[in-house]
């Protein structure tokens, strides 16, 4: 057994029912495994609230301020107003220059994005803060040309050499990551729901590399990696700036419910912290920020946009997810045991599963002792990518389909 490692979260505030930032910061630091927070601005009340929590905080320069930040004096003023006064009590680690700028179709922002990043970094150097705070910018997957396989992915023509290549050069030189916002939620279909939710599925094979993908997030991340490699920057780290799954959507949408959100985000936390990596980036973890901390009832757009929250305003969980400190222990198991369970349920489709908390807790302790003693097969995993609950839910869905 092992405690779930830390995870980041996006703290959006487009709502009129959110708790005070001081209460939020105290709750996150005392009761959850969330150890990173990303803000979409540099709200001083929120920055003060995270004082002394040791939670890493990322702030954002709004898109409309990007052209001004290319002026060194303005960049220094921005840092001295929005970052420096809160340090070191608040653990500021990153400044994002805009959000998904290349998706705005704004040529003024395009042309000023990399110069603004460079100028902000220079200001940090002059203020002796560059070793504490790094500069980057998040991108949607719209920066990629659509491809059927991850290995064939490329950056869009025009973005690649004029914006992204100099940006990657800057990121490499300043030891900063390339940040992307992959959302399997926006890419799945009826046939690929299990693939998007990290549930057992037939997967997809890349015809060029012959690597098999068992979940959509890995395919999206490897698409970004492939595009970076073409430009010669595969050594720059990738950070997941946003990803998540909503609990509500339009009536016609499938897979938009608390159960699916629980499966995606629960399995996401396990997967990005597992050290397994992706087929093209094996044996690594990914710094990840789930979208979002709370539902945002004032956001425009489709219903789903207002319903990505992990917590209600009273700071209780919207659905079950291994993010609370007192519930972050998970029983060790591996893919062999998952396959055995699936085979039994396939052969005996009417079988039932009874989850007995007391007995399972005893099993967990016994498994933990055996892991510690090295008495279990090496294939056992202490940070499983799938929860047993997901298997049960999957079989329930399949049984229901067989009866129809």
């Amino acid at each position: 057994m092992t405690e779930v490692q830390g995870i980041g979260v996006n703290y959006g505030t487009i709502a009129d029912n959110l708790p005070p930032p001081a209460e939020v910061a105290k709750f996150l630091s005392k009761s959850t495994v969330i150890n990173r927070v990303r803000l979409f601005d540099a709200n001083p009340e929120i920055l003060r609230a995270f004082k002394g929590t040791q939670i890493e905080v990322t702030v954002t320069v709004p898109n409309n301020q990007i052209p001004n930040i290319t002026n060194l004096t303005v960049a220094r003023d921005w840092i001295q107003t929005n970052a420096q006064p809160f340090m070191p009590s608040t653990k500021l680690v990153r400044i994002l220059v805009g959000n998904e700028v290349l998706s705005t179709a704004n040529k003024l922002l395009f042309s000023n994005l990399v110069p603004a990043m460079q100028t902000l970094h220079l200001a940090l150097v002059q203020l002796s803060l560059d070793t504490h705070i790094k500069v980057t910018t998040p991108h949607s997957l719209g920066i990629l040309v659509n491809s059927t396989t991850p290995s064939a992915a490329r950056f869009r023509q025009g973005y690649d050499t004029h914006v992204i290549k100099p940006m990657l050069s800057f990121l490499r030189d300043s030891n900063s990551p390339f940040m992307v916002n992959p959302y399997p939620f926006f890419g799945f279909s009826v046939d690929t729901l299990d693939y998007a939710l990290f549930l057992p599925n037939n997967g997809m094979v890349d015809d060029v590399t012959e690597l098999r993908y068992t979940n959509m997030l890995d395919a999206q991340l490897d698409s970004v990696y492939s595009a970076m490699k073409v430009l010669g920057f595969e050594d720059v780290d990738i950070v997941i700036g946003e990803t998540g799954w909503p609990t509500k959507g339009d009536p016609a949408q499938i897979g938009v419910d608390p159960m699916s959100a629980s499966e995606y985000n629960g399995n996401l936390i396990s997967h990005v912290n597992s050290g397994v990596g992706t087929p093209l980036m094996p044996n690594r973890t990914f710094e990840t920020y789930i979208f979002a901390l709370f539902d945002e009832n004032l956001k425009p757009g489709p219903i789903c946009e207002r319903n990505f929250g992990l917590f209600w305003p009273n700071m209780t969980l919207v659905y079950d997810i291994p993010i609370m400190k007192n519930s972050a222990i998970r029983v060790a198991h591996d893919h062999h045991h998952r396959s055995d369970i699936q085979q039994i349920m396939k052969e005996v489709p009417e079988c039932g599963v009874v989850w007995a908390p007391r007995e399972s807790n005893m099993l967990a302790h016994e498994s933990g002792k055996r892991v510690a003693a090295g008495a279990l097969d090496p294939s056992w995993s202490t940070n499983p990518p799938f929860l047993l609950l997901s298997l049960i839910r999957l079989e329930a869905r399949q049984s229901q389909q067989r009866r129809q």
Side-chain angles (χ1 to χ4, degrees), residues 34-300:
I34 293 169
N35 59 358
R36 305 181 189 96
V37 167
R38 174 190 169 195
L39 307 181
F40 291 90
D41 52 22
N43 185 309
E45 184 182 5
I46 296 178
L47 290 174
R48 282 191 293 269
F50 281 93
K51 175 182 177 180
T53 63
Q54 292 305 302
I55 290 176
E56 295 182 354
V57 179
T58 292
V59 295
T60 303
V61 177
N63 285 3
N64 60 6
Q65 295 182 25
I66 290 174
N68 295 333
I69 295 293
T70 59
N71 180 290
L72 183 57
T73 301
V74 174
R76 283 176 60 99
D77 288 346
W78 197 95
I79 294 167
Q80 290 174 320
T81 300
N82 297 290
Q84 197 169 29
F86 307 98
M87 300 175 67
S89 300
T90 297
K91 197 173 181 181
L92 275 164
V93 297
R94 191 173 291 135
I95 298 175
L96 305 183
V97 179
N99 183 42
E100 299 187 350
V101 172
L102 298 184
S103 299
T104 65
N106 185 316
K107 293 183 179 180
L108 178 64
L109 297 185
F110 284 12
S111 61
N112 283 284
L113 179 57
V114 175
M117 295 169 68
Q118 294 168 329
T119 305
L120 201 60
H121 174 71
L122 178 57
L124 288 167
V125 171
Q126 292 182 354
L127 295 168
S128 301
L129 296 175
D130 56 300
T131 58
H132 303 285
I133 299 177
K134 299 299 179 179
V135 175
T136 189
T137 186
H139 306 278
S140 77
L141 294 191
I143 59 174
L144 299 175
V145 176
N146 289 333
S147 63
T148 55
T149 57
S151 64
R154 302 291 184 268
F155 291 120
R156 289 186 179 278
Q157 191 172 4
Y159 293 177
D160 51 0
T161 56
H162 297 295
V163 181
I164 295 177
K165 188 171 184 178
M167 179 187 298
L168 287 169
S169 179
F170 161 75
L171 295 175
R172 174 190 279 166
D173 292 344
S174 61
N175 194 28
S176 300
F178 189 67
M179 183 176 280
V180 293
N181 298 340
Y183 276 94
F185 171 73
F186 293 116
F188 84 94
S189 64
V190 175
D191 297 329
T192 58
L193 179 58
D194 289 342
Y195 181 59
L197 294 176
F198 301 90
L199 294 175
N201 64 90
N202 293 329
M204 179 272 290
V205 175
D206 187 313
D207 294 336
V208 177
T209 62
E210 297 186 350
L211 294 171
R212 177 173 292 276
Y213 288 84
T214 58
N215 68 82
M216 191 178 294
L217 182 72
D218 280 358
Q220 292 178 336
L221 291 174
D222 276 358
S223 294
V224 174
Y225 173 82
S226 295
M228 294 168 65
K229 186 175 182 179
V230 169
L231 297 181
F233 293 93
E234 67 269 30
D235 56 319
V236 175
D237 282 342
I238 295 173
V239 166
I240 300 173
E242 285 181 39
T243 191
W245 202 279
T247 54
K248 291 181 184 178
D250 296 323
Q253 287 184 290
I254 64 162
V256 187
D257 51 63
M259 180 185 295
S260 297
S262 174
E263 286 172 335
Y264 179 76
N265 283 322
N267 292 329
L268 168 78
I269 293 171
S270 190
H271 185 62
V272 298
N273 283 323
S274 68
V276 172
T278 71
L280 288 179
M281 296 180 285
N283 307 315
R284 70 168 73 180
T285 59
F286 292 93
E287 181 181 333
T288 300
Y289 295 79
I290 296 176
F291 189 86
L293 185 55
F294 299 109
D295 287 345
E296 295 177 84
N297 64 348
L298 299 181
K299 285 192 76 172

